[in-house]
Amino acid sequence: MGSRASTLLRDEELEEIKKETGFSHSQITRLYSRFTSLDKGENGTLSREDFQRIPELAINPLGDRIINAFFSEGEDQVNFRGFMRTLAHFRPIEDNEKSKDVNGPEPLNSRSSKLHFAFRLYDLDKDDKISRDELLQVLRMMVGVNISDEQLGSIADRTIQEADQDGDSAISFTEFVKVLEKVDVEQKMSIRFLH
C-alpha cells in the first residue's frame, strides 16, 4: 500500500509538503495512505463525514471543533495538502527546529501557530475574541451534563475575569497567549507521528 501512496503522490508535491509541514518522506507517505483509506468517495478529498468515522474524533468532546479546523471557510472538502497543513500543527517540535531561520515562514508546529490553532477552536464566531457564550459552549462540549449550567457559568466568568486585561469581557488572542505562557503548549498539542 505504501508504494501505491508514493506513486499517486508526485515527487515534487511530496517535497513541497515536506518543506511546508516538516513531516518526513515516510511520514507523508504513511499519512497519505491513511488519507486515502479515509477517502470513502475516492475523489482525493475528505468530507466532514469521512472525519466523523474516525473513532478517536467521534468520542472526543471537541471532535466537531477539531474536524471544522480542517476546512476553510465555506468549504466542505479538504485535499491532502490541507489535511497535512492542519496535522502539522500537532507535529512535535524537534530539537534541531528550535534554531530555525528567523527570516523564513514560521513553522506550522511553532508555539505561536499552535496557540492560534487552539484559539480558533474557542473563537466559534471568528471575531478574534472568545466571549463568555463561546467559552460556555466549549466547556459544555467538554463536560457534557456532568456540571450544572450555574457551575459552568461560574467557571466561564472566573476564566474571563482572570484573562481579560482590557475590560471588554472577552479574551483576545494576546490575552489567551498570556494565560497560557507557563503551559507547555508545544508538548500538550503534539501527536507522535511514526517516522
Side-chain angles (χ1 to χ4, degrees):
M1 198 188 265
S3 60
R4 178 178 161 247
S6 51
T7 57
L8 293 175
L9 201 57
R10 294 187 333 268
D11 283 343
E12 71 252 20
E13 191 177 11
L14 202 142
E15 282 306 312
E16 288 169 11
I17 292 169
K18 185 176 171 183
K19 192 174 181 178
E20 188 177 2
T21 64
F23 284 112
S24 70
H25 187 285
S26 62
Q27 288 171 322
I28 294 168
T29 304
R30 191 172 288 116
L31 287 165
Y32 187 76
S33 180
R34 177 72 169 137
F35 179 88
T36 56
S37 73
L38 291 170
D39 178 13
K40 297 303 179 198
E42 296 184 1
N43 58 3
T45 63
L46 298 180
S47 67
R48 288 179 189 344
E49 293 75 32
D50 291 329
F51 280 100
Q52 288 164 342
R53 286 190 204 91
I54 301 171
E56 295 81 358
L57 284 175
I59 62 167
N60 187 317
L62 293 176
D64 284 341
R65 297 295 310 141
I66 294 167
I67 291 168
N68 286 339
F70 280 90
F71 297 90
S72 300
E73 189 70 37
E75 295 290 319
D76 60 353
Q77 300 286 312
V78 64
N79 64 16
F80 181 64
R81 197 157 189 166
F83 174 76
M84 291 301 292
R85 253 189 235 114
T86 301
L87 286 180
H89 289 96
F90 297 99
R91 195 174 62 76
I93 296 174
E94 307 294 333
D95 288 337
N96 64 347
E97 290 181 288
K98 291 181 178 157
S99 58
K100 275 288 186 200
D101 175 18
V102 287
N103 297 323
E106 187 162 25
L108 293 170
N109 68 332
S110 70
R111 178 177 179 83
S112 176
S113 292
K114 286 176 185 276
L115 286 167
H116 270 100
F117 186 90
F119 183 81
R120 287 191 301 268
L121 291 179
Y122 287 90
D123 183 16
L124 304 176
D125 65 5
K126 297 177 173 68
D127 67 349
D128 295 326
K129 0 176 138 97
I130 301 168
S131 68
R132 180 183 191 274
D133 285 344
E134 288 170 322
L135 191 54
L136 273 173
Q137 282 183 52
V138 174
L139 287 170
R140 213 170 272 121
M141 287 177 214
M142 291 166 63
V143 299
V145 294
N146 298 326
I147 296 180
S148 73
D149 282 349
E150 189 177 310
Q151 289 171 306
L152 281 178
S154 176
I155 292 168
D157 291 339
R158 201 166 51 247
T159 302
I160 288 178
Q161 185 179 20
E162 288 174 17
D164 182 23
Q165 296 176 328
D166 61 11
D168 67 351
S169 300
I171 302 170
S172 67
F173 178 68
T174 306
E175 293 164 340
F176 184 78
V177 169
K178 181 100 176 102
V179 167
L180 294 174
E181 69 186 354
K182 290 181 175 63
V183 175
D184 187 1
V185 172
E186 295 88 340
Q187 193 270 325
K188 290 190 183 306
M189 281 187 66
S190 291
I191 299 171
R192 294 256 169 252
F193 294 95
L194 298 174
H195 287 283

